[in-house]
Amino acid sequence: MWRGGLGDSMDFATSSHRRRWLYTRASLDEERRRLQQRLVEGVRKQRAAADPGQPEAGSATKRPREPSPVDPVGELLMLKYYQQIIQEKCREMRLPLKVMSTALQYHKRFFLRHSSMEFDPGRVMITAIFMATKIEEHYTRAADIAAAFDVSEDLVVKQEVALLEGLNFDLVVHSPYRALQGFVQELRDARTSPPSSSGSPPPPPLPTASSAASLPPPDEALLSAPEPLVAEACRAAFGALDALMLSDAPLLFGPAQLAAAALRSGFKTKGIRIPNFLARLALRAAAAAAAEDGSSSGLEAEQQQLPSDPAAALTAALDELDALGSEGARRVEVGEVKEANAVAREWR
C-alpha cells in the first residue's frame, strides 16, 4: 500500500512524523500487543520481587489477586472516548484546527508507548492540549485550560515530562487539516479557472511508461455543481476528517492522504464525484517523488515504494480510509468505557 507522497511537503517526506509514527496495520497491532505484554510481565516481576516467598500449605495468608489486564478493545474505545473530548474542548475553547490535530496525535502516540494501566488517559488528554497550544504557537495559559476542564492548574502540567518522553520528543506534527484546506483551495481554483480542453501543461515525467502523459481534465460534475452545494461538500469533508482523526488512520496514513479521503467522502455525500481531481493529485505527487528519487538515499528510495499506477493506488488507499472513517464516526458513550476505566485504574 502506497502511504506517502500525495501532495505532502518535502518537510513531511523527511520528518519524524513519517519515519517514526506511521505504521502498517500489522505493525501497529504488534506494537500494541508488545506494549501490554511488557507492562503485564513487568508488574508481575515487581510483585514477585516484593513478595518472593510462597505461602505455606494451609496458610491463611495469600498473595493478593492480580487484576486482569485491561481488554485491548476496551482500551481503544476508552482512548477514543477521550479523543472525542479533545475535539469537543478544542472547539469549545476556539483553538485552531492545528492545535486540535496535534493534541489528538500526541494522545494517540503516547498510548503506543504507554498503557492506560500506567497513565490516566484523561489527564494525558489535558496535558496534550496544553502542549499542543505551545508547539503550534497558540499558547494558552494552563489556568485557562484548567478552567475549561474544571481541574487544578497543577494537573494540567503534571504529565508534561512524561508526555514529552512518551513522544520521544518528536513534537512536530503535520496536520491533515492544513492539507485539506490546500486541496479545497485548489479545487475552488479549478472551478473558477478551469484548464483548457487540452489540459494543463504536462507534469514532469512519471515513474513508468504506462503512466498517463498528462493530467486528466477537471471533473465535469465539479465544474457544473452550484456553489452552495460545493460549500456544503467542503464542510462535509472537514466533518469526515474529524471522524478519521478518531480512528487509527493518522497512525497508518500521511496527512495528505487523510485529507484526500475526507475530500472524496465529503463530496460523495453531496453527489459530486471527483475522480479526475484526485487522479491529478496522485499523478502530480508521483511525478514529484520520481524527480526526487535520484537524490534520495537507498533507504529513502525503498520507502517511497512508488506505484506503477498512482491513481489506482490512491483509490485503494482511500477505500481503506473510508472504512476507518466509518469506525471513527461511531461515537463512544461513557457507559461503554466504564469497565475498561475501572480495570486500568486498578492497575495504576
Side-chain angles (χ1 to χ4, degrees), residues 11-23 170 299-300 303:
D11 287 344
F12 176 72
T14 58
S15 67
S16 61
H17 184 153
R18 183 178 182 182
R19 292 195 318 272
R20 298 176 184 167
W21 297 103
L22 289 186
Y23 299 81
D170 292 331
L299 177 60
E300 289 168 337
Q303 288 175 334

Side-chain angles (χ1 to χ4, degrees), residues 63-134:
R63 217 174 254 179
R65 179 186 64 85
E66 179 184 283
S68 299
V70 64
D71 175 67
V73 174
E75 181 171 39
L76 289 178
L77 282 177
M78 178 170 52
L79 297 180
K80 181 182 177 182
Y81 172 78
Y82 286 110
Q83 288 158 17
Q84 289 172 176
I85 297 176
I86 289 176
Q87 288 185 334
E88 293 164 2
K89 285 295 185 179
C90 284
R91 290 199 163 94
E92 181 183 306
M93 298 173 68
R94 300 182 181 275
L95 297 175
L97 287 173
K98 62 182 181 180
V99 171
M100 181 178 76
S101 174
T102 295
L104 276 168
Q105 295 191 69
Y106 282 173
H107 199 267
K108 288 178 181 293
R109 291 179 181 187
F110 182 82
F111 285 103
L112 288 178
R113 298 293 183 266
H114 294 286
S115 167
S116 63
M117 294 186 287
E118 300 172 281
F119 290 91
D120 183 343
R123 294 188 176 189
V124 173
M125 164 191 71
I126 297 171
T127 305
I129 294 174
F130 176 56
M131 190 180 298
T133 68
K134 293 193 287 185

